[in-house]
């Protein structure tokens, strides 16, 4: 799913559709799964990743419905090596991803990661199950002379080419490090036999749960809730009461109406931190406490960022007040260090700081993050409209960076899974929004201060004029914020929103006051 939300790769794609189909049918790329031909499923994925997609086939009339440029084999009957050779001779880019036309479940994230491995290599080929997948691999255009010599010598096996070129082999350990072992069977599926076709067709059309996926293998949710009960009831009461009271004061509502969203968020972060700490082999109880307390300075005295004091600085004062003279007093220095590290990100965070950082961001990812995005915007009187669609870019930006910016192995693994869910949801929402004629948007990557920001850009204004986008940087107490403005030059309508730039390695921190 990732290809829809990221800029396209500087490479081409060659779909090889020249197989004889001896075990099934020469037309197997046209067999349908869930109402779409297999080759169309593959073409849709690669078209979202690559600007240049070519179909290598000697039967172009079969595939006109794809509306893709076709390349014939320069010399038929020489197998896929000739298809690679012919396709590389026609591409504009310096490298191409080569895939078979009978692969219905290509995974965009795996393909992107393979491309990153190219560097100075001529070929990048995955070995997900110990055997090479030469028709799910990248080939540099400079391989053509070697391919030509092999073809002229009657050496048609691609393995012989790999032995003569600088080849990067991605073994099973590479997939394990990326957290993709469960994706292998599906991503590298070829439809070779009638049994393959029937099995995958039935599975997809029956909408079965994909192999290896479980609704939850993280333990009983009730057990996570019970972890709050491990704490001193008086400490827990003070934290909960303070968070609710401060947010209520900030909202300036009637005395009888309490606001508890910050308490709900803090209690979730505490429990997620407990889970991560446990998985990382740490003492989970101080992580739980730090997660509960990390936002307690946010609405101190019923205000929000009205002076130059960071909320984390206020939070450590509450920590010292609540935990002094309790069994948790020994953890005060570590908890305060963790809370302050959320603000002072340029400093090295301790173990608890890394855990709470990840827990805070994981609470805003996946389906939970989507639910909170809409709940928080409703509290701010932002409802489901075109402006809300634009603001979805904030969530897409954070989802894009989360798997690479979280600070624990457990956090990064969870982020990979949840980031996919975030992207899938917003993609589906925008498609439905467009289908119903409510508005049309493009999703594009914008470089803001060297950080890739995934923005939802309206195609046209309500007046029919073309929308333009501008971006800038704004200094704030805690971070550097991206400011994004949309404006129509025809009618003059403008829209603006801002968000803290994600903490990407090498990202220039905020300027200190002089």
């Amino acid at each position: 799913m990732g290809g829809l939300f990221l800029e396209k790769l500087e490479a081409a794609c060659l779909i090889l559709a020249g197989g004889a189909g001896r075990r099934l049918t020469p037309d197997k790329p046209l067999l349908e799964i869930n109402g779409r031909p297999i080759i169309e499923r593959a073409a849709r994925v690669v078209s979202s990743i690559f600007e240049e997609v070519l179909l290598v086939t000697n039967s172009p009339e079969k595939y006109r419905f794809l509306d893709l440029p076709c390349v014939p084999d320069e010399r038929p009957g020489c197998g896929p090596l000739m298809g690679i050779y012919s396709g590389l001779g026609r591409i504009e880019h310096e490298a191409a991803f080569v895939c078979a036309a009978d692969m219905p479940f290509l995974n965009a994230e795996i393909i992107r990661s393979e491309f990153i491995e190219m560097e100075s290599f001529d070929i990048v080929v995955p070995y997900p199950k110990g055997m090479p997948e030469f028709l799910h691999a990248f080939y540099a255009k400079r391989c053509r002379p070697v391919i030509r010599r092999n073809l002229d010598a009657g050496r048609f096996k691609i393995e012989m080419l790999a032995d003569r070129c600088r080849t990067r082999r991605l073994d099973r350990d590479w997939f394990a490090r990326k957290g993709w072992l469960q994706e292998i069977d599906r991503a590298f599926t070829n439809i070779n036999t009638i049994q393959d076709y029937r099995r995958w067709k039935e599975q997809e059309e029956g909408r079965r749960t994909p192999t290896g996926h479980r609704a939850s293998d993280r333990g009983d949710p009730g057990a996570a809730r019970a972890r709050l009960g491990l704490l001193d009831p008086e400490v827990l009461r003070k934290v909960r009461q303070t968070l609710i009271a401060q947010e209520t004061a900030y909202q300036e509502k009637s005395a009888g109406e309490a606001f508890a969203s910050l308490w709900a968020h803090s209690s979730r972060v505490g429990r997620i931190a407990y889970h991560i700490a446990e998985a990382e082999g740490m003492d989970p109880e101080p992580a739980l406490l730090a997660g509960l307390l990390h936002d307690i300075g946010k609405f101190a005295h019923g205000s929000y960022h009205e002076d130059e004091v960071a909320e984390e600085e206020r939070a450590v004062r509450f920590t010292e007040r609540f935990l002094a003279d309790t069994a948790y007093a020994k953890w005060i220095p570590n908890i305060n260090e963790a809370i302050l590290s959320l603000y002072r990100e340029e400093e090295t965070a301790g173990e608890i700081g890394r855990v709470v950082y990840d827990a805070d961001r994981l609470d805003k990812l996946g389906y939970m993050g989507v639910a909170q995005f809409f709940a928080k915007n409703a509290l701010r009187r932002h409802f489901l409209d075109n402006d809300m669609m634009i603001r979805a870019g904030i969530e897409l930006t954070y989802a894009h960076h989360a798997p690479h910016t979280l600070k624990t192995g457990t956090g990064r693994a969870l982020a990979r899974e949840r980031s996919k869910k975030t992207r899938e949801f917003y993609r589906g929402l925008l498609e439905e929004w467009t289908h119903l004629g409510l508005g049309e948007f493009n999703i594009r990557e914008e470089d803001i201060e060297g950080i890739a920001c995934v923005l939802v850009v309206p195609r046209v204004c309500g007046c029919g004029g073309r929308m333009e986008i501008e971006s800038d940087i704004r200094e704030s107490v805690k971070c550097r914020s991206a400011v994004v403005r949309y404006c129509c030059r025809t009618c003059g309508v403008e829209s603006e929103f801002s968000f803290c730039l994600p903490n990407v390695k090498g990202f220039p921190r905020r300027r200190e006051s002089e």
Side-chain angles (χ1 to χ4, degrees):
M1 302 297 179
L4 180 65
F5 302 105
L6 304 176
E7 65 180 8
K8 295 186 177 183
L9 299 178
E10 293 183 2
C13 176
L14 303 174
I15 304 175
L16 303 192
R22 296 185 180 90
R23 286 185 285 178
L24 186 52
T25 167
D27 292 332
K28 68 177 178 177
L30 299 175
L31 294 174
E32 293 187 354
I33 293 179
N34 249 353
R36 292 215 320 266
I38 294 170
I39 192 171
E40 182 184 345
R41 297 171 70 96
R44 288 185 66 171
V45 173
V46 297
S47 294
S48 73
I49 306 171
F50 303 97
E51 292 182 354
E52 185 182 9
V53 179
L54 281 70
L55 187 63
V56 182
T57 179
N58 296 318
S59 305
E61 67 282 355
K62 294 180 181 179
Y63 306 112
R64 286 199 183 99
F65 68 95
L66 295 174
D67 195 27
L68 290 175
C70 294
V71 179
D73 284 336
E74 292 188 13
R75 191 170 76 218
C78 298
L81 187 62
M82 177 58 77
I84 296 171
Y85 178 79
S86 303
L88 289 177
R90 294 282 295 274
I91 63 173
E92 296 177 5
H93 291 79
E94 293 304 312
F97 174 72
V98 175
C99 64
D102 62 351
M103 303 185 80
F105 309 117
L106 292 173
N107 184 306
E109 290 190 79
I110 292 177
I111 295 170
R112 284 180 173 276
S113 291
E114 285 184 22
F115 177 71
I116 292 172
E117 300 289 340
M118 278 292 284
E119 296 180 340
S120 60
F121 291 100
D122 300 319
I123 300 172
V124 172
V125 58
Y127 285 64
K129 299 179 183 178
M131 298 296 290
E133 293 282 351
F134 288 113
L135 298 188
H136 190 296
F138 279 88
Y139 298 83
K141 188 185 286 188
R142 58 180 173 268
C143 292
R144 287 193 85 231
V146 182
I147 298 175
R148 179 82 249 179
R149 289 195 293 271
N150 281 11
L151 289 170
D152 290 344
R155 297 189 291 264
F156 299 144
K157 291 186 176 181
I158 305 178
E159 292 94 324
M160 295 180 179
L161 171 67
D163 290 340
R164 289 168 169 78
C165 295
R166 290 171 296 178
T167 301
R168 171 80 166 99
R169 294 172 172 83
L170 307 177
D171 60 16
R172 188 175 177 85
D173 287 342
W174 182 85
F175 285 88
R177 290 193 300 274
K178 298 285 186 180
W180 286 328
L181 290 182
Q182 292 185 350
E183 308 288 338
I184 286 173
D185 284 342
R186 184 178 175 84
F188 290 89
T189 290
N190 290 90
I191 305 299
N192 289 319
T193 67
I194 191 63
Q195 290 80 13
D196 290 340
Y197 176 58
R198 286 173 178 167
R199 176 167 66 91
W200 285 105
K201 187 174 188 293
E202 289 172 3
Q203 177 167 309
E204 289 300 296
E205 294 180 356
R207 298 185 182 277
R208 299 176 187 172
T209 303
T211 304
H213 179 76
R214 295 190 294 274
S216 174
D217 57 1
R218 307 293 185 188
D220 179 11
R225 192 182 311 112
R227 288 168 189 153
L228 295 178
L230 294 171
L231 300 177
D232 183 320
E234 182 61 17
V235 171
L236 192 60
R237 184 191 66 78
K238 288 179 181 178
V239 173
R240 181 179 184 276
Q241 193 174 61
T242 301
L243 285 167
I244 293 174
Q246 291 180 165
E247 185 179 1
T248 302
Y250 174 68
Q251 296 291 352
E252 297 181 343
K253 295 294 182 179
S254 63
E257 187 176 355
F259 287 79
S261 66
L262 196 58
W263 158 249
H265 165 68
S266 298
S267 66
R268 289 193 304 270
V269 171
R271 286 176 280 176
I272 296 169
Y274 187 105
H275 168 82
I276 295 174
E278 209 170 35
E280 295 284 312
M282 296 165 47
D283 184 350
E285 205 166 349
L288 169 61
L289 266 172
L292 280 176
L293 290 159
H294 82 287
D295 262 350
I296 202 162
K298 185 178 285 290
F299 296 131
H301 313 303
S303 63
Y304 180 64
H305 291 180
E306 291 183 4
D307 54 28
E308 291 300 313
V309 180
E311 62 198 54
E312 288 81 4
E313 300 282 356
R314 300 187 189 279
V316 299
R317 299 171 195 168
F318 284 107
T319 298
E320 289 167 359
R321 187 195 314 169
F322 292 163
L323 302 187
D325 302 320
T326 72
Y328 312 123
K330 61 185 177 183
W331 292 331
I332 290 175
N334 291 337
I335 290 173
N336 282 349
E337 176 193 50
I339 293 172
L340 290 173
S341 73
L342 301 177
Y343 165 51
R344 302 168 179 169
E345 290 177 351
E346 67 274 11
E347 297 181 7
T348 303
E351 283 187 337
I352 300 175
R354 291 194 293 272
V355 166
V356 175
Y357 179 94
D358 286 8
D360 188 35
R361 279 142 185 81
L362 286 167
D363 187 49
K364 299 162 187 170
L365 276 179
Y367 299 144
M368 288 199 322
V370 168
Q372 289 177 76
F373 171 72
F374 289 103
K376 285 169 67 176
N377 275 283
L379 281 173
R380 297 166 182 165
R381 302 299 184 260
H382 297 148
F383 301 107
L384 199 57
D385 55 15
N386 281 326
D387 188 53
M388 178 76 81
M389 297 300 107
I390 292 172
R391 290 172 183 272
I394 303 171
E395 306 303 298
L396 293 174
T397 297
Y398 290 147
H400 170 47
H401 289 289
H404 316 292
T405 56
L406 296 200
K407 299 181 178 181
T408 67
T410 302
R412 288 190 291 273
L414 290 169
R416 282 195 293 271
E417 172 189 330
R418 293 189 177 195
S419 292
K420 287 182 184 178
K421 293 176 180 177
T422 298
R423 296 195 302 267
E424 287 169 3
F425 174 84
Y426 287 108
R427 183 190 71 162
L429 175 63
L430 289 164
E431 286 178 353
E432 189 170 286
W433 197 259
T434 299
H435 181 70
L436 293 174
L438 301 176
E440 295 186 31
F441 299 88
N442 291 321
I443 299 174
R444 84 178 197 211
E445 189 173 298
E446 182 87 1
D447 185 290
I448 302 178
E449 198 74 9
I451 304 299
C453 295
V454 184
L455 303 181
V456 179
V457 182
R459 294 180 188 169
V460 293
C461 175
C463 74
R466 185 170 176 271
M467 296 293 286
E468 296 184 5
I469 179 174
E470 299 175 352
S471 61
D472 199 358
I473 294 293
R474 178 183 296 155
E475 303 295 341
S476 60
V477 174
K478 287 187 61 178
C479 67
R480 303 190 76 184
S481 296
V483 181
V484 183
R485 300 183 188 90
Y486 298 91
C487 56
C488 174
R489 297 305 183 194
T490 303
C491 69
V493 67
E494 293 186 359
S495 175
E496 175 183 302
F497 69 93
S498 64
F499 59 97
C500 289
L501 285 167
N503 182 29
V504 178
K505 184 178 181 181
F507 151 56
R509 302 302 302 150
R510 62 189 182 88
R511 293 184 289 270
E512 298 297 335
S513 301
E514 295 182 358

